[in-house]
Amino acid sequence: MDTHSEKELKRWVFPRPCDGLRAVAQDIAAPRHFLKLCGSNEELRSALPARWEVQPENYFMMSAATILDTRPLPHGYRMELDHAGPVARARVIAPDGDLAASGCAAEAADVFIYDRIETAPDHRRKGLGIAVMIALGTARKSLASPQLLVATEDGRNLYASLGWTVLAPFATATIPES
């Protein structure tokens, strides 16, 4: 997938270790390309050349429930939501105009996938991440579609408190910038 973001040019996601994962890892020599595996860090490390750096382990999570929290944003914050084809993007703008929180989501193959849900450090613990997810959730066409995401350790605890369950560990690797 071409992501062309500040942090990531492309990503490849694999459901399990395979020859395709090993071949892609051999071919890539530049930073800002990410290999992702629905599996443990050890499984990913064993499939990669030494130049790859495995990131802290994440968690592949699922929820069937809809988040119903309807608290308003804190005073002075505003939500921006836009759609480009199947992708919805949400941004929370802080009173000073800075980006406070953001994320995107899309529905495909009967699942609704959240991606890059992030809250800037100075704006955490204000409910902004949940507000982003609620806004993105309005793009769901089928409330029967399970919701999926990949969470960090901190995110795992938050999502678990909202009823999400861990399906599997999720490993990521990239080539460090020199």
Side-chain angles (χ1 to χ4, degrees), residues 125-174:
R125 308 272 185 255
K126 297 179 181 180
L128 302 180
I130 291 172
V132 165
M133 291 189 67
I134 291 168
L136 293 170
T138 65
R140 279 175 75 195
K141 291 175 180 43
S142 170
L143 295 181
S145 295
Q147 301 168 90
L148 302 172
L149 59 73
V150 173
T152 62
E153 182 65 37
D154 287 342
R156 179 181 70 102
N157 295 328
L158 169 66
Y159 296 123
S161 74
L162 298 172
W164 289 69
T165 56
V166 172
L167 296 175
F170 196 84
T172 300
T174 189

Side-chain angles (χ1 to χ4, degrees), residues 9-29:
L9 290 174
K10 292 184 180 185
R11 77 170 74 154
W12 290 260
V13 181
F14 295 88
R16 64 191 160 285
C18 62
D19 290 340
L21 167 63
R22 287 182 273 286
V24 169
Q26 285 294 335
D27 289 345
I28 298 170

Side-chain angles (χ1 to χ4, degrees), residues 39-52:
S40 70
N41 280 1
E42 294 78 26
E43 289 175 292
L44 183 56
R45 166 59 32 226
S46 71
L48 301 177
R51 68 181 172 272
W52 287 87

Side-chain angles (χ1 to χ4, degrees), residues 75-99:
H75 179 73
Y77 287 83
R78 72 179 193 282
M79 176 71 68
E80 295 178 353
L81 179 65
D82 61 70
H83 295 69
V87 177
R89 286 179 170 63
R91 290 173 296 284
V92 176
I93 307 301
D96 63 4
D98 286 348
L99 180 64

